[in-house]
Amino acid sequence: MADSMVDSIFPLAMEGVSVARNGQRIIENMNLRLNGDARTVILGANGAGKSVTMRVLHGLIKPTAGRVTWAGQDERPTSQAMVFQKPVMLRTSALRNVAYGLKLAGVTQAERLTRARAALARVGLAHLEKRAARVLSGGEQQRLALARAWALEPRVLFLDEPTASLDPSAAREIENIIAEIAAAGAKIVMTTHSLGQAQRLADEIVFLHLGRVVEQTPAAEFFGQPRSPEAAAFIKGELPWV
Amino acid sequence: MGVMRKLLLAAVATLALVSSSSQAADKFIVVSSTTSTEQSGLFGYILPVFQKKTGIEVRVVAQGTGQALDQGRRGDADVVFVHDKPAEEKFLAEGWGVQRYEVMYNDFVLAGPKDDPAKVDGGKDIAVAFQKVEKAQAPFVSRGDKSGTHSAELRIWKMAGLDIDKAKGPWYRDTGSGMGPALNTAASMNAYILSDRGTWLSFKNRRDLKIVVEGDVRLFNQYGVMLVNPAKHAHVKKELGQQFIDWLVSDEGQKTIADYKIDGQQLFFPNAKK
Amino acid sequence: MNALAESFATALALIVGFDDRLLSVILLSLQVSLGAVICASLIGFPIGALVAVGDFPGRRLATVTLNALIGLPAVVVGLLVYLMLSRSGPFGSLGLLFTPTAMVIAQTVLIAPLVAALARQVIEDAWREYHEQLVSLGASRSRASLTLMWDTRFSLATVVLVGFGRAVAEVGTVMIVGGNIAGVTRTMTTTIALETSKGDLPLAMALGIVLVAVVFLMNGLAYLMREWSMRHYG
């Protein structure tokens, strides 16, 4: 898996990024630097710009101003994957859904199935490999989405509120898998609504408020002693929903 | 896009497959003729005889005489077989046909409602009958479609001394349709209508219509056949087409035509010149 | 009213007795329309996918155009193809006029816009659901269209059935380019037109019954397929 210290694609940086939609500024002149080892969780109230920030980092949205760089370069590396809040599966078996991502990455047919099966086994879905992916339960589909991402052996894994639609026990399963993927060496960038989840998973917190980065703090510090009044209010649950 | 090209090729291949499976005959000609001839059932009777003898399949496209001749002019037929001598001679004079052969004649009849508002029933003079219809302003259905039947109708109005364009009123219904549909219309409107005997005999939806005038010599309807001129359209199948024409005017062809009957009644009277 | 019932009864007798004329005419209708819908799909699906997934100037105009072309009157299509295939026309030397091939071509022209427009709708709806994930996984637009065409295969199969239903029931194009030649280019619809004009209702009605049955069958199959695919694939 990827090495953590000398990494050719980090730091992942946003330089003066703004994103506007329909005349509304969603992200305002954002600067951010993420290195390759910490598990980063992005927090913020609804409308703070978390989802858009994730998509800009991953390359799904082009900023209206500013740029995203990887180790100072504009070129976007292919070794990244994203898991969305609602898993999106093709009308085919679980195995083939995982293999599809590998096919796009140019992996040969034989190797595809081997790696896909291994990924399914790691998330505990090996027994469902032939089942139609879209008839699986919400939790199973999200695990499948993680298997699909993991099979690609990405250097960075983005996750946009991956457990928001799941019940607590399914959510816990997902958290465990995320932790395993991180342990295997991938950089995690995640958003969540759940402070508990953030506490369990994060090494560092990036706190957004009204489209700006207000704090970037190691997790333990953030929850114990937040540096900004907005963050303090958020943790106490007092932050007004925008 | 390589995929797009492959799909286009597949489409063409499907087309080829369909066409090869549904076209069996090697020897065939296209004959443009009239709806009245086709609907009388004559072709259904005589063409199998011709095909059995020569192996040539005759494909008849039936429409009004005007359109049939136009199809010949466009080169979309090998032979034209219609019943409108002036129009045929014009076709020939323009150089579209090679030679005109007379084949057979049938006759027109005037059909009308049983209650006969114009009082023409049993008459032997068609021009007089038309005069009476116009005088009574009785409903009259015209084909109005450049057909041989339509031309004959117009000639009779002239013989009756009437300028139909001026004389027509709401009683004169110009339908612009083939013989069958026009008969349908006349039957539902209880109107008078000029029809060829063949279509009338096979027409099943007569309701209250019956033949009211027949037998006038001026109601005789001459059929002519011509090969489309290969000098104008090189692709015309001139040998096969000529074989068909030769057969139509031969003793055997003429007898076959005469043998065609509906309800025991002969419809077409062969009169090819010897 | 009695004539109607009488025709109906005779019609049923013809159907049950597998009347020869009936069968050959039915077979030709099915062949021509099947050939047409296959060709129309091979052309229409990629076009629909292109417009659904593509990002080019005039995309919205293309969508509107496709939808508008659905309403092309069959007789107009028939006339256009006739003029193309006539010996006096540009493709006359192919000698295709008054053959079943010409009928397939004409029906393909008629229903390709319908197939393309419906496919566009189907694929665009799927694209809306999938596009973030597909782009994230690294799919190019052309790759994505292929993936979506496969993924929406059941809905696309329904589109094929709709196209077939439209083709098999139309009379305008096949009448003009086929010439309604007995034994060669006579279909169910052209025969109904002919027999009705002759006043021979039983045969026309028998074919009418068969035609309606075919259309019903197509719709039934489409419905069943939707149900089955929902249950098995989600």
Side-chain angles (χ1 to χ4, degrees), chain A residues 4 6-7 18 20 71 80 129-130 150 154 158 164 176 186 189 213 221 233:
Chain A
S4 44
V6 186
D7 227 325
S18 299
Q80 31 173 323
E129 79 169 33
K130 287 202 179 16
W150 202 353
F158 294 91
N176 293 336
V189 182
V213 176
E221 267 185 60

Side-chain angles (χ1 to χ4, degrees), chain B:
Chain B
M1 271 215 200
V3 179
M4 293 289 211
R5 255 209 3 250
K6 279 192 214 119
L7 287 172
L8 210 63
L9 279 167
V12 173
T14 310
L15 209 61
L17 204 69
V18 172
S19 42
S20 64
S21 72
S22 46
Q23 259 142 261
D26 322 284
K27 293 205 292 181
F28 69 90
I29 55 170
V30 173
V31 171
S32 71
S33 185
T34 67
T35 47
S36 40
T37 327
E38 158 86 11
Q39 290 184 3
S40 69
L42 177 72
F43 289 129
Y45 182 77
I46 68 173
L47 294 182
V49 178
F50 175 69
Q51 182 163 8
K52 191 150 171 230
K53 179 175 174 146
T54 60
I56 302 173
E57 181 192 346
V58 175
R59 297 186 181 172
V60 174
V61 180
Q63 48 212 309
T65 296
Q67 292 133 33
L69 290 171
D70 283 340
Q71 196 179 317
R73 288 186 177 95
R74 274 193 301 269
D76 290 325
D78 302 301
V79 171
V80 297
F81 188 6
V82 298
H83 50 99
D84 184 349
K85 188 164 174 190
E88 295 165 49
E89 293 187 324
K90 179 161 180 275
F91 185 82
L92 207 56
E94 288 168 357
W96 297 108
V98 176
Q99 186 185 342
R100 181 175 174 272
Y101 299 77
E102 300 204 321
V103 181
M104 64 203 190
Y105 68 90
N106 68 350
D107 63 332
F108 293 112
V109 299
L110 182 68
K114 286 197 177 92
D115 60 359
D116 195 20
K119 306 257 174 299
V120 296
D121 192 3
K124 288 280 171 235
D125 188 323
I126 189 65
V128 167
F130 268 43
Q131 282 167 351
K132 288 190 184 172
V133 167
E134 190 267 339
K135 224 199 198 94
Q137 309 252 301
F140 182 95
V141 168
S142 165
R143 280 189 56 181
D145 64 343
K146 270 169 82 179
S147 60
T149 311
H150 184 221
S151 310
E153 180 213 318
L154 293 176
R155 281 198 292 276
I156 297 171
W157 286 118
K158 276 214 188 70
M159 285 185 245
L162 292 165
D163 183 350
I164 191 60
D165 277 333
K166 293 213 175 73
K168 67 179 161 198
W171 56 274
Y172 185 82
R173 313 278 162 88
D174 185 335
T175 62
S177 61
M179 198 69 250
L183 280 167
N184 268 332
T185 308
S188 54
M189 281 183 189
N190 257 353
Y192 291 91
I193 180 168
L194 189 73
S195 170
D196 63 286
R197 188 184 295 272
T199 310
W200 171 260
L201 284 175
S202 11
F203 183 68
K204 297 196 172 66
N205 191 23
R206 289 177 199 170
R207 301 214 204 174
D208 286 331
L209 294 185
K210 62 184 267 259
I211 296 181
V212 290
V213 178
E214 60 184 320
D216 186 329
V217 153
R218 294 170 291 183
L219 288 173
F220 285 9
N221 179 30
Q222 178 68 48
Y223 280 74
V225 68
M226 291 181 277
L227 181 70
V228 173
N229 193 354
K232 291 258 200 183
H233 290 291
H235 61 267
V236 165
K237 296 176 181 164
K238 53 178 193 257
E239 289 92 13
L240 299 181
Q242 191 61 46
Q243 267 190 277
F244 180 57
I245 293 174
D246 291 339
W247 181 81
L248 283 174
V249 302
S250 72
D251 288 340
E252 186 194 312
Q254 296 275 286
K255 180 173 183 310
T256 313
I257 291 171
D259 283 342
Y260 179 61
K261 294 184 171 57
I262 296 184
D263 294 334
Q265 281 209 45
Q266 182 177 349
L267 280 170
F268 297 93
F269 299 87
N271 69 344
K273 295 188 168 51
K274 296 270 186 273

Side-chain angles (χ1 to χ4, degrees), chain C residues 192-227:
Chain C
I192 291 175
L194 177 66
E195 297 299 325
T196 307
S197 78
K198 281 160 76 175
D200 186 355
L201 300 190
L203 185 61
M205 183 142 327
L207 287 166
I209 293 171
V210 173
L211 200 51
V212 171
V214 167
V215 175
F216 250 92
L217 189 68
M218 292 298 113
N219 279 281
L221 281 176
Y223 180 80
L224 287 174
M225 173 138 49
R226 266 196 298 269
E227 294 286 291

Side-chain angles (χ1 to χ4, degrees), chain C residues 183-200:
Chain C
V184 182
T185 56
R186 211 165 268 187
T187 62
M188 284 194 271
T189 50
T190 62
T191 306
I192 291 175
L194 177 66
E195 297 299 325
T196 307
S197 78
K198 281 160 76 175
D200 186 355

Side-chain angles (χ1 to χ4, degrees), chain A residues 153-202:
Chain A
E153 293 170 9
R155 304 280 276 298
V156 189
L157 179 61
F158 294 91
L159 301 118
D160 186 12
E161 308 209 22
T163 61
S165 313
L166 303 178
D167 65 69
S169 63
R172 281 311 186 96
E173 281 177 348
I174 298 298
E175 285 180 19
N176 293 336
I177 298 172
I178 296 173
E180 277 184 59
I181 298 178
K187 160 81 179 173
I188 302 288
V189 182
M190 194 173 117
T191 67
T192 182
H193 263 143
S194 158
L195 294 185
Q197 185 171 88
Q199 277 179 295
R200 284 188 291 273
L201 289 177

